Amino acid sequence: MTNHKIAGFDLPHAHTQDKLCRVLFSALESRLGKTDAENLSKTFSMSPPPHLRLSSYWDAKHFGLDKVSIFREACAQEQAEILHLCSYGLLAEAYFIEQAGVGYMAKMVTLAETTEERMLYALFSSDEVTHLAQISQFIDTSELVGTDEPFLRLLGDLVESSDKTVLLFILQVVLEGWGLSHYRSLAKNCRSSDLSAVLWGFLQDESRHHSTGVTLFDRVAVTKSSQQTMIETLALFLQMVQVGPQSVVSTIEKVKGYLSTAQKVKIFEELETEIQSGTRLQLLRSLMRSPNAEVIVEELEVRGAFQPFPANKCIFSGVSS
């Protein structure tokens, strides 16, 4: 039997005619309602409807592309393709995050120290299952087995950790807190009322997950070893934010063809990368305000981890945010 990692990024999908799928959709029906459960039974299949591969759920303004000259000057077909790929990237990331969330919450059930904590994490895992199922209605899930995206690789490695303190702080305090802002922005700007409603629906659950992480982290004694692991992991994550919207620039290049360093710098400047990344970095810093995290924040400050990179320093091969 193959041993899959906790994040589950490499898990294959069963065919919708599998008896397990029928049981799953029946269970989801009690949470989502009959219509949504029936839709899921269709979109979990290996041959999803064409509209799932064609929709652009966010417009140019959401990605800052309305300010980018090479995008504005592109033909309608190129603009549509760039928007589709950017939208697909957001949905794929959300799918994998919720996939990892299912595994993470299930793992935390085994690490719980009270009956109530165990019960909470079991309920949280169910939340993540529901989110994963809902996101799957809007994307071709047959394509989503495995990922090379740096942030998701970092997330996948992190959930394998056996250090509960590290898991609580980085995943629930920082990343779940970050996720609240991220999902709120996605929901607010989404062009699909159905997808927007799903994303708004995530917020109450994510808030509960985040607040539980804050409560539990404030109670633990943080060891030097845990501190160092958190510093190194967060420094890597923060660098992915410092270097700006790499995925947007790489998507433009994928559609338009090779871009010179000067062209990329201009795009980053037009995207106002220093301002946008600076805002995100300060939000992340504010999420680390626990007394247990003072040393961590101080060390990250010393390293300059909360300072955004200017456009001319955002040209990094292999770094994605």
Side-chain angles (χ1 to χ4, degrees):
M1 183 178 290
T2 303
N3 291 321
H4 294 282
K5 292 189 174 182
I6 298 295
F9 294 157
D10 60 341
L11 284 172
H13 293 282
H15 194 277
T16 48
Q17 299 307 309
D18 190 307
K19 290 181 180 179
L20 281 178
C21 287
R22 293 202 290 271
V23 177
L24 171 62
F25 300 140
S26 176
L28 285 168
E29 185 177 326
S30 65
R31 292 182 65 107
L32 296 174
K34 185 174 182 179
T35 301
D36 283 346
E38 287 176 349
N39 288 338
L40 283 172
S41 69
K42 299 173 185 175
T43 56
F44 260 87
S45 70
M46 299 303 287
S47 300
H51 76 272
L52 292 179
R53 300 190 295 269
L54 300 175
S55 298
S56 297
Y57 292 106
W58 292 273
D59 62 15
K61 186 176 181 180
H62 178 79
F63 301 103
L65 288 166
D66 57 319
K67 302 173 185 175
V68 176
S69 55
I70 194 170
F71 175 83
R72 293 199 310 266
E73 293 163 6
C75 68
Q77 183 178 345
E78 289 174 330
Q79 289 184 348
E81 188 174 358
I82 290 169
L83 286 175
H84 165 66
L85 291 173
C86 285
S87 290
Y88 180 88
L90 288 179
L91 278 176
E93 181 182 71
Y95 173 89
F96 282 120
I97 288 172
E98 299 304 330
Q99 178 81 285
V102 175
Y104 169 73
M105 296 302 183
K107 178 177 183 175
M108 294 299 279
V109 169
T110 69
L111 298 178
E113 296 170 36
T114 66
T115 296
E116 289 72 22
E117 186 182 338
R118 183 181 177 91
M119 291 167 70
L120 265 179
Y121 277 110
L123 287 169
F124 291 170
S125 187
S126 180
D127 291 340
E128 302 288 6
V129 168
T130 304
H131 298 173
L132 179 63
Q134 290 175 304
I135 282 289
S136 297
Q137 296 176 81
F138 300 94
I139 193 167
D140 182 351
T141 59
S142 68
E143 298 178 357
L144 299 177
V145 179
T147 175
D148 292 324
E149 206 280 328
F151 167 66
L152 294 171
R153 287 206 310 268
L154 176 67
L155 178 62
D157 290 342
L158 184 58
V159 296
E160 295 296 321
S161 172
S162 59
D163 190 328
K164 185 178 177 182
T165 303
V166 171
L167 293 171
L168 281 172
F169 186 62
I170 299 182
L171 286 173
Q172 278 185 256
V173 176
V174 178
L175 294 184
E176 290 264 24
W178 165 266
L180 282 169
S181 174
H182 179 61
Y183 278 138
R184 189 176 292 111
S185 173
L186 294 185
K188 181 180 178 181
N189 297 330
C190 187
R191 298 160 66 183
S192 162
S193 59
D194 290 338
L195 177 55
S196 179
V198 164
L199 295 168
W200 282 119
F202 286 6
L203 294 177
Q204 185 174 1
D205 293 338
E206 299 295 341
S207 178
R208 196 178 294 117
H209 303 171
H210 170 66
S211 63
T212 298
V214 171
T215 298
L216 291 174
F217 179 71
D218 285 346
R219 295 177 180 177
V220 301
V222 182
T223 66
K224 292 288 185 183
S225 174
S226 294
Q227 266 184 6
Q228 196 57 39
T229 299
M230 288 188 274
I231 288 167
E232 298 302 329
T233 304
L234 286 169
L236 184 57
F237 168 61
L238 291 170
Q239 187 187 45
M240 295 178 187
V241 181
Q242 287 177 295
V243 299
Q246 296 284 325
S247 59
V248 173
V249 177
S250 64
T251 297
I252 293 173
E253 185 168 41
K254 187 179 293 185
V255 175
K256 293 294 295 181
Y258 172 78
L259 297 174
S260 67
T261 296
Q263 285 177 305
K264 290 180 181 179
V265 169
K266 183 180 180 183
I267 294 170
F268 278 116
E269 288 174 342
E270 291 173 332
L271 288 169
E272 299 180 333
T273 185
E274 205 164 354
I275 295 172
Q276 299 302 322
S277 295
T279 300
R280 295 184 176 105
L281 289 163
Q282 287 310 303
L283 169 61
L284 287 163
R285 190 188 188 286
S286 74
L287 291 167
M288 304 178 196
R289 58 180 176 271
S290 168
N292 265 343
E294 288 178 357
V295 173
I296 297 166
V297 173
E298 287 171 7
E299 176 60 26
L300 291 170
E301 288 276 17
V302 169
R303 297 188 183 198
F306 296 109
Q307 297 301 314
F309 288 3
N312 65 343
K313 290 188 176 180
C314 290
I315 315 301
F316 287 98
S317 175
V319 178
S320 180
S321 60

